[in-house]
Structures are given as C-alpha cells and as structure tokens.
Amino acid sequence: MKRIAVLGSTGSIGTSALKVIGKHPECFSIAALSGYSNVRLLSRQARSFRPKLVCSGKDNAGLRRICYDRNVDHVLIAISGSAALEPLLWAIDAGKEVSLANKESLVMAGPVVMARAAAKGVKIIPIDSEQSAIWQCMHNEQPRGLRRIYLTASGGPFRGMTGRELQKISLADALRHPRWKMGRKITIDSATLMNKGFEVIEAIHLFGLSPEQVEVLVHPESIVHSMVEFIDGSVIAQLSVTDMRIPIQYALSYPRRLNSSLPSVDFVKTGALNFESPDTDTFPCLALALGAARTGGTMPAVLNAANDVAVEAFCQRRISFTGIPDMIERVMRKHRVKKQAGLDDIWRADAWARKEAVQTLGKVK
Ligand code: NDP
Ligand code: MG
C-alpha cells in the first residue's frame, strides 16, 4: 500500500489524482491533502478520504509537515505556479518518492532540484503527459543511446491564426482549450504556447538533455504524447486517449501498470495523425522560452515570473493576448543573467522580474 500526499488536491490535476487513487484502494491510500482557497472542496475530499493531515491557504508549515511526515511514502505535487518549488524541495529532502505535475518549479530551478534529487537518491516521476510519454519511451534505454526527443503540442486553440487575429483574442477565447480541460493559468499558457516552452525546459532537466536535443512538433490530434529518437534512428512513441488520469496513474503505480477503465485509442476513427513545425513568429512565447533554455542560469526563472505577471494582467484585461510575449520580452531583455544560480539567486531573479514586469504595464498594449 502506497500512502500518498496530494498537494494541490483541489485543482484539476489534484481532483483527477483523487479519482485514480479512489479506483485502486488496494494499492493506494491518502495520507495527506492540501488545497489553497477552495476550502469547501478540500473538506469534502477530507471527509471522503479521511487523511491524517490536511492543510489549506498560505500554510508553509503545514506543507512542510506533510512532506516530512513518516506516514507519507509518496508526494504528488499538483500545486500550480512557483508556490510548488519549496514543497518539492522539502519532499526531496525528506527522501520521499515524488510525482510532479507542476512545471514552473523545474523551469525556475531545474538544476537545483535535479541536483538535490540525485544527492538524495530521490526519483522524480513526471505527470505532465509529454514528460510521462518520454519517461515511458525511455524505459531500459541507455541515456547515451538517445538522439533527441520530440515534444508534441496540440498547437492550442489559435493554431493557424495570424498575429493580427491574435491581437483581438478575448479572455473567454483563450480559456477555451480544444483538447484538455485544465486550470486557468496553464490554459492561457497553452494558448500562447508558453506551456510548450516550459515543457522544453522541464524535459531538459528531467532527462538531462541539451536544448538542441528537444524538438517541438505540433500534433493537433493529441494522440501521440511525445516521442524519443535513438542513435540508430529508431523512434518510440507513447499514444493514448487524452486523459490526464493515464499519466497520473502511471506516476503512482510506476514501475507497475494498473488497469484503467478509460477507452482505448480508436485508430480507425482517429484517422490520420498530423505533424507540423510550430509557428514561433506568430507565437513568440515559445521562442522566448527556447531562448531562456539556451541562456540558462537565472533566465528561465525570469521568464516564468514575467509570464505569471503577464498572464494575470491579461486575465484582468489590462493587456491584450499579444501583450503577453511583449511584456515578457521587455523584462528578459533587461535581465543581467547569473549563470551559476543557487536558490537565493533564483528567488531574487523571480522577485526582480515580477517588479520589472509590473513596471512595463503602461507600455504594453
Ligand atoms: P489548478 O489551478 O486547477 O490547481 C492548482 C492547485 O494548487 C489547487 O489545488 C490550488 O488550490 C493550489 N494552489 C494554488 N496556489 C497555491 C499556493 N500559493 N499555495 C499552495 N497551493 C496553491 O491547476 P492545474 O491542476 O491545472 O495544474 C497544476 C500544476 O500542474 C500546474 O503547474 C500545471 O502547469 C501542471 N499541469 C497541469 C496539467 C493539467 O492538465 N491541468 C497538465 C500538466 C501539468 P485552490 O484551488 O484550493 O485554490
Ligand atoms: Mg503537457
């Protein structure tokens, strides 16, 4: 029996994780839950799963306590944004098995997180569907045998639009994602393609790759969740229906597989699987993220923080959809990168970028 702490249990990934856990009471139990603002849902979850520990709101002491609790075997991190970084590091320091949905933490501090996990012998099992696909394709393979990975992207709801059309995108348009139902911030990130940029950085750290080894492919059907190419030219892909319960379940059951009642891929009905290159001229967020990945040091943290402020400003209708990359680029251009960045440098860069981004508000349309 694996005793699991679900951090961010009231969110989109968190509620899906509870569904998976509830389906396999013979394998998993809930040791702890955490939410933030949705206290009503959190108490409903607590009544149903009866965990020993529950915390909500700005309660770092509570989250820390959960991560270190000796009745917790596995910490699933589904908190959104930079608030996940500290709990992730606590879970690693406590030597727990970790499954990670949050991507902002790896974007901000990938080298720090991976070095600590290696020092502690902690496995970080990815939940993000693309990273889970790569993780599954790399099974029993030598890292030396890997040539590159193909990260697939649905292309978001605005694939094929021109820059001019994008200027008129409303908040409601951006919140309508064609394939996945997710939290608000990641839905906007998917529409700008920043989400894919974050995933490139995430993959670089999780799998020890160079930025040149990661290629983004737009794949509108979202059936192939990513692919790995080996040095002999063989490519292995992972395919499934689009449902986050598949990668969540695998992260919890790894290295075993458990039954799921989700449908199989219907290849005949799906028909052709299409692939195309992403349009980074029209969707500059992806190019900005690739640039930050190549620069490294504190730059990805600046990218993440400026994006946070820009997405929030778009949600408050203070800037347009195309103002998002504009704001991020202005902040990145001003940043003096620290290459060998420790945790303090990262938090300092994060705070600097948030302040700097707010100051661009009057200049960005
Ligand atoms: P949601 O916004 O739906 O959920 C976020 C969760 O984090 C909620 O439980 C929320 O609590 C909690 N939370 C928010 N702010 C804080 C904070 N400051 N401190 C502690 N807890 C907080 O997001 P998603 O579930 O969509 O995404 C979660 C993470 O997983 C993100 O990093 C996202 O990028 C990643 N991810 C999501 C995917 C998806 O399909 N949704 C796919 C791949 C990755 P409350 O609701 O109670 O306020
Ligand atoms: Mg993803």
Side-chain angles (χ1 to χ4, degrees), residues 101 103 127-132 151-153 180 182 186 190 195-196 199 202 225-226 244:
K103 48 190 90 182
I127 286 181
D128 200 351
S129 59
E130 294 76 2
Q131 319 298 344
S132 173
L151 272 186
T152 53
W180 300 94
M182 308 172 287
I186 185 176
S190 300
N195 180 54
K196 208 46 56 179
E199 287 176 0
E202 201 185 3
H225 298 301
S226 279
M244 283 308 294

Side-chain angles (χ1 to χ4, degrees), residues 7-14 34-39 57-58 63 77-81 83 101-104 127-130 180-186 189 195 199 244:
L7 307 188
S9 64
T10 49
S12 160
I13 292 286
S34 91
Y36 187 64
S37 60
N38 196 343
V39 181
K58 239 185 166 43
L63 287 171
I77 300 186
I79 293 174
S80 55
N102 176 278
K103 48 190 90 182
E104 291 88 346
I127 286 181
D128 200 351
S129 59
E130 294 76 2
W180 300 94
K181 205 184 164 310
M182 308 172 287
R184 181 172 153 123
K185 155 111 187 335
I186 185 176
D189 286 345
N195 180 54
E199 287 176 0
M244 283 308 294

Side-chain angles (χ1 to χ4, degrees), residues 49-347:
F49 287 94
R50 306 233 153 249
K52 285 222 173 67
L53 300 167
V54 179
C55 86
S56 73
K58 239 185 166 43
D59 183 4
N60 267 350
L63 287 171
R64 194 170 191 285
R65 165 91 207 277
I66 289 176
C67 292
Y68 278 93
D69 194 89
R70 61 190 173 81
N71 294 310
V72 169
D73 304 311
H74 179 116
V75 182
L76 186 157
I77 300 186
I79 293 174
S80 55
S82 55
L85 178 55
E86 284 193 290
L88 170 60
L89 291 171
W90 292 326
I92 292 171
D93 287 344
K96 303 292 159 109
E97 185 180 75
V98 173
S99 55
L100 183 64
N102 176 278
K103 48 190 90 182
E104 291 88 346
S105 50
L106 279 182
V107 171
M108 291 171 76
V112 173
V113 170
M114 296 313 290
R116 272 214 213 175
K120 276 274 173 188
V122 162
K123 252 195 215 85
I124 300 180
I125 308 168
I127 286 181
D128 200 351
S129 59
E130 294 76 2
Q131 319 298 344
S132 173
I134 296 160
W135 175 270
Q136 295 181 54
C137 295
M138 297 236 291
H139 251 304
N140 304 322
E141 295 285 353
Q142 304 277 329
R144 270 175 296 140
L146 189 126
R147 182 179 286 161
R148 67 166 70 86
I149 63 169
Y150 293 99
L151 272 186
T152 53
S154 72
F158 311 134
R159 185 174 59 92
M161 280 194 184
T162 63
R164 186 171 287 216
E165 286 168 328
L166 286 182
Q167 281 172 3
K168 298 192 203 98
I169 290 302
S170 70
L171 178 60
D173 295 332
L175 287 175
R176 240 178 272 125
H177 193 275
R179 296 272 169 203
W180 300 94
K181 205 184 164 310
M182 308 172 287
R184 181 172 153 123
K185 155 111 187 335
I186 185 176
T187 304
I188 307 285
D189 286 345
S190 300
T192 61
L193 294 199
M194 182 57 92
N195 180 54
K196 208 46 56 179
F198 281 176
E199 287 176 0
V200 171
I201 301 175
E202 201 185 3
I204 288 171
H205 298 306
L206 279 171
F207 304 108
L209 307 171
S210 69
E212 294 71 34
Q213 282 177 294
V214 186
E215 198 163 313
V216 174
L217 277 181
V218 173
H219 167 49
E221 293 81 15
S222 297
I223 292 287
V224 175
H225 298 301
S226 279
M227 307 186 265
V228 176
E229 183 182 329
F230 297 94
I231 48 178
D232 59 358
S234 283
V235 178
I236 298 185
Q238 186 262 342
L239 291 76
S240 72
V241 293
T242 44
D243 193 309
M244 283 308 294
R245 284 172 290 178
I246 294 175
I248 292 169
Q249 176 167 303
Y250 188 65
L252 294 176
S253 70
Y254 173 84
R256 279 201 298 158
R257 289 203 185 260
L258 297 176
N259 254 323
S260 115
S261 49
L262 293 169
S264 306
V265 177
D266 185 336
F267 286 101
V268 174
K269 205 160 139 202
T270 306
L273 298 179
N274 293 281
F275 300 93
E276 57 193 60
S277 295
D279 178 358
T280 48
D281 290 336
T282 316
F283 294 93
C285 281
L286 179 55
L288 290 171
L290 297 176
R294 282 190 294 268
T295 307
T298 45
M299 193 57 107
V302 166
L303 171 90
N304 172 65
N307 180 60
D308 251 1
V309 177
V311 169
E312 191 52 39
F314 172 69
C315 289
Q316 294 172 358
R317 299 181 172 82
R318 297 175 75 178
I319 60 172
S320 68
F321 186 74
T322 47
I324 297 175
D326 184 8
M327 180 183 279
I328 300 165
E329 189 176 3
R330 283 168 191 263
V331 177
M332 283 174 71
R333 244 196 266 133
K334 278 197 176 172
H335 182 56
R336 292 234 299 275
V337 181
K338 180 147 194 235
K339 277 281 184 190
Q340 297 297 329
L343 209 49
D344 288 347
D345 304 312
I346 287 162
W347 282 118

